[in-house]
Amino acid sequence: MSLQEVIKLAKQFSTMDKVRLIQQIAPNIERELTDKLSTHPRQSLWGLCAV
């Protein structure tokens, strides 16, 4: 199923079902973003200034 098909289906949901969908998906997105940020070492401020 493509993203466009999912969006088309989601647009047919009631407002409450859209809210529930967001509530269920948002924590997964947040977890994935947090995992990606934590795996990349941060550059020091000195390193940023050197560029």
Side-chain angles (χ1 to χ4, degrees):
M1 183 174 274
S2 72
L3 177 60
Q4 294 302 327
E5 291 171 322
V6 173
I7 292 171
K8 186 177 179 179
L9 287 173
K11 286 182 178 182
Q12 297 173 14
F13 290 168
S14 70
T15 303
M16 285 308 300
D17 284 340
K18 290 176 187 175
V19 170
R20 288 187 197 108
L21 176 63
I22 292 169
Q23 288 174 333
Q24 290 185 10
I25 291 178
N28 292 336
I29 295 170
E30 185 178 4
R31 191 175 316 109
E32 288 175 15
L33 288 173
T34 304
D35 289 347
K36 286 185 180 189
L37 290 175
S38 64
T39 58
H40 293 2
R42 292 187 178 194
Q43 190 173 8
S44 71
L45 289 177
W46 290 111
L48 290 173
C49 293
V51 177

